Amino acid sequence: QVQLVQSGGGLVQAGGSLRLSCSASGPTFSPSAMGWFRQAPGKEREFISAQSRGAANTYYAHSVKGRFTISRDNAKNTVYLQMTSLKPEDTAIYYCAAKTGSIRTRAEEYDYWGQGTQVTVSS
């Protein structure tokens, strides 16, 4: 059974930084693509970033490019999201996701999801 377990998140002031982690476990599970999405109240789940297994392909949403950095530790099946220069509009529940096959940016194309973690940025 594949599980994605997230850690990190919390409350931070605008301009601050946070780091999210997400570890995938399961028998013989080796995700090709891992990524991050977020969902603010009343809004649809939004793509943030994704990276292929060998980091040959990395995508960012325009809204976070230059501020957020995704990275992976393939030996640990773990993906990280380093968030800097946080803004109040970054407030949302953040979800990690994993899939086999090609990297994608649409939530419906991901097979496995973390439990979500709240990120709140105060002004």
Side-chain angles (χ1 to χ4, degrees), residues 3-85:
Q3 280 191 316
L4 300 184
V5 179
Q6 297 180 222
S7 60
L11 173 65
V12 66
Q13 288 188 332
S17 300
L18 283 174
R19 187 195 198 206
L20 306 181
S21 301
C22 172
S23 295
S25 64
T28 69
F29 181 60
S30 181
S32 301
M34 297 187 77
W36 293 93
F37 293 77
R38 69 186 180 189
Q39 189 164 18
K43 295 188 176 181
E44 293 187 353
R45 195 164 294 191
E46 173 191 17
F47 169 77
I48 296 300
S49 182
Q51 190 169 73
S52 58
R53 182 170 180 79
N57 294 297
T58 301
Y59 299 153
Y60 292 99
H62 178 74
S63 59
V64 305
K65 199 167 187 178
R67 301 188 297 122
F68 291 11
T69 302
I70 190 171
S71 60
R72 290 179 63 167
D73 182 337
N74 291 323
K76 297 180 180 179
N77 267 350
T78 298
V79 63
Y80 305 95
L81 186 68
Q82 179 67 48
M83 304 183 291
T84 63
S85 301

Side-chain angles (χ1 to χ4, degrees), residues 2 4 29 97-101 107-113:
V2 175
L4 300 184
F29 181 60
K99 66 183 300 295
T100 55
E108 55 265 35
E109 299 198 68
Y110 282 77
D111 303 308
Y112 307 100
W113 291 87

